[in-house]
Amino acid sequence: MSKYIALPKGVTEAVFDKAIAAFTGILGAENVLTDAGQLAPYRKTMMAVADDSHAPSAAIVATSVGQIQQILTVCNKYKVPVWTISTGKNLGYGSAAPGERGQVVLDLKRMNKIIEVNADLGYALVEPGVTYQQLYDYIQERKLPLWMSCPAPSAIAGPLGNTVDRGVGYTPYGEHFLFSCGMEVVLAGGEVLRTGMGGVPNSNTWQVFKWGYGPSLDGIFTQSNYGIVTKLGIWLMPEPPAYKPFCIRFPDEGDIVDIVETLRPLRMAMIIPNAIVIASTIWEAAVTVKRSSVYQGAGQIPDEILKEVAVKNDLGAWNVYAALYGSPEQIEVNWQIITHFLKKHPKARIVTEQEAGDNPVFQYRADLMRGKPNLTEFGLYNWRGGGGSMWFAPVSQAMGSETLKQMEMAKRILGKHGLDYVAEFIVGWRDMHHIIDVLFDKSNPDEVRAANACFGELLEEFSKAGYGTYRTNTEFMDKVADTYGPVQREVFRKLKRALDPNGILSPGKSGIRI
């Protein structure tokens, strides 16, 4: 019987012993974890699979670029794969567990320095372990006139990891990769690459000009396994003199068509400058309501029960959150334009911050749209209970007919498997991210099987309809990669072979292997 709970693919126990000994020499025994108890946080997943299928062989904790370089030397020598995490809190997409059984988790949470925040130019340079809460507190303590952008359950997640996985937030800087500038990347061979202007010795423009000279490389290090990003520049938004968050509640699911057709021109014209969220009843109700308190039946929760939940909790079938930023005069002009547009939709009910009062659902959204991190959205996991969650994330055109089609498809497929439709649309300029949380009870084998089959069917049916998935959990990365066709997969494979010939960096990430 092996002393390890798993072994890397193709690596014997004797060879792995040598690798562990080498890691211990670099990091110290306290930072090389092989005991089952120590590895418990790195093997727990929320996906509809057995956790053992993603069990690591070890976890190693690095604190510097130099250590990472030495670790990669060992990995290349013994052909040991490492799965890199920053804070490991990417819960809806896979958590801290590796993509494949037996990989070594390379944990960078202790590389948590905020290297610089420049108040004049509005940027930060951070390491992988920096959390959004840490950066927010840094800015507040120094009274810097800057706002950051963060995703929803954000306090324990980090800007580097979220940006590199192309996550989004809710301020005007909410397309996080778009508002990043300059990476430091450790390549598989140990070389340190600084993208953009960072390659120029003593560069003072690394975090202000994205492109540098020649091909822009930053994109290939997002959602990939071509290198380990150890520093990232992010742009911060100047604190506006005034801020007006608001919500528009619509009573019927079919209103999604009018919502999108009304808001798209306002978003494209930057009248509404931030990423608009259109959240379903359950997504909002889960902050304060448990499913079992309103429905104990089997199968998808009935529409009439959801309507009762919405009325009782002062919610809509769809709840639209957006904000205005700028001078009071600018906000007043744009507010008049918005209210004029909404007069065409008598069912729309506008709620401002003053009218919402201390409503916790409104307040956490208002905080997110000003870049204040919180953990409120984790309430979603209390809706059904049981610790199972997988986010399905197809992209839609910002067209009412398309969003209605996606909603109806998703609701039908989820209902077929006895699961609820828990979703929100996040509006970009011309696109919408349709985030569907497939919630299930992981302690119930029937629900686990249903959720896995449901996710697979969602992916298959949406792909057939021409809807690409922009992000996924580690269990379905190969299947999502397949939907983009063999040419793209082969290009990704060629890049992998060139940059990581031994295939040691996060094999299987986004379906990419040598």
Side-chain angles (χ1 to χ4, degrees), residues 292-304:
S292 59
S293 69
V294 296
Y295 184 67
Q296 290 82 40
Q300 191 173 77
I301 190 167
D303 289 346
E304 58 269 22

Side-chain angles (χ1 to χ4, degrees), residues 7-316:
L7 283 170
K9 194 180 298 182
V11 178
T12 67
E13 184 173 313
V15 169
F16 196 53
D17 284 342
K18 293 177 181 178
I20 291 295
F23 293 147
T24 303
I26 297 165
L27 302 171
E30 70 277 11
N31 291 316
V32 179
L33 314 177
T34 58
D35 179 76
Q38 295 174 315
L39 293 176
Y42 299 98
R43 64 187 301 189
K44 181 177 174 54
T45 79
M46 301 181 77
M47 302 179 295
V49 295
D51 287 352
D52 274 354
S53 64
H54 291 269
S57 53
I60 56 179
V61 184
T63 58
S64 70
V65 168
Q67 287 181 347
I68 293 173
Q69 290 174 299
Q70 292 178 70
I71 287 165
L72 295 184
T73 297
V74 175
C75 290
N76 279 303
K77 180 177 181 179
Y78 296 112
K79 306 298 186 290
V80 170
V82 285
W83 183 271
T84 306
I85 62 170
S86 50
T87 65
K89 303 301 182 184
N90 194 8
L91 300 187
Y93 295 114
S95 71
E100 296 175 354
R101 179 177 171 83
Q103 293 172 340
V104 175
V105 175
L106 174 55
D107 189 342
L108 304 184
K109 66 173 176 281
R110 290 187 196 154
M111 291 180 66
N112 60 356
K113 296 186 186 69
I114 298 171
I115 298 162
E116 181 185 7
V117 175
N118 188 307
D120 295 323
L121 294 170
Y123 68 76
L125 182 64
V126 299
E127 289 187 329
V130 172
T131 66
Y132 281 106
Q133 188 67 55
Q134 181 185 347
L135 181 57
Y136 178 82
D137 291 344
Y138 183 100
I139 292 168
Q140 295 303 308
E141 288 163 5
R142 290 157 179 77
K143 295 182 170 54
L144 303 178
L146 299 169
W147 284 5
M148 65 180 195
S149 176
C150 57
S154 52
I156 56 177
L160 187 147
N162 180 269
T163 301
V164 168
D165 214 36
R166 297 209 292 271
V168 297
Y170 303 92
T171 74
Y173 282 36
E175 188 65 65
H176 289 164
F177 178 54
L178 180 65
F179 288 93
S180 67
C181 188
M183 291 178 174
E184 178 183 87
V185 185
V186 182
L187 301 178
E191 309 95 326
V192 176
L193 168 71
R194 290 189 169 186
T195 66
M197 303 299 284
V200 176
N202 302 314
S203 172
N204 63 6
T205 52
W206 189 21
Q207 270 65 65
V208 298
F209 183 69
K210 292 168 75 78
W211 312 120
Y213 178 73
S216 177
L217 297 175
D218 301 68
I220 70 169
F221 298 108
T222 66
Q223 290 192 0
S224 80
N225 50 15
Y226 299 143
I228 297 172
V229 182
T230 50
K231 293 182 181 66
L232 180 73
I234 55 174
W235 289 341
L236 303 170
M237 174 179 162
E239 180 179 4
Y243 166 65
K244 186 181 182 74
F246 60 94
C247 176
I248 315 164
R249 305 202 191 279
F250 290 80
D252 301 312
E253 277 191 337
D255 292 335
I256 190 70
V257 175
D258 286 344
I259 296 169
V260 175
E261 291 303 309
T262 300
L263 296 178
R264 183 186 63 251
L266 296 173
R267 181 74 180 96
M268 288 179 65
M270 297 293 283
I271 301 299
I272 297 176
N274 70 319
I276 302 166
V277 169
I278 308 170
S280 69
T281 297
I282 296 177
W283 199 286
E284 297 302 277
V287 173
T288 55
V289 178
K290 290 186 178 180
R291 188 182 196 271
S292 59
S293 69
V294 296
Y295 184 67
Q296 290 82 40
Q300 191 173 77
I301 190 167
D303 289 346
E304 58 269 22
I305 299 294
L306 275 184
K307 289 195 179 220
E308 291 174 11
V309 171
V311 170
K312 186 175 179 180
N313 293 276
D314 196 28
L315 298 169

Side-chain angles (χ1 to χ4, degrees), residues 60 69 111 117 131 213 227 230 242 245 289 293 305 310 329 333 343 376 409 437 447 449 451 473 478 499 509 513:
I60 56 179
Q69 290 174 299
M111 291 180 66
V117 175
T131 66
Y213 178 73
T230 50
V289 178
S293 69
I305 299 294
E329 294 81 7
V333 168
K343 284 176 183 175
T376 304
M409 283 176 61
D437 198 346
E447 286 198 22
R449 284 190 291 269
N473 60 71
D478 278 313
L499 293 172
K509 171 72 174 175
R513 296 176 183 80

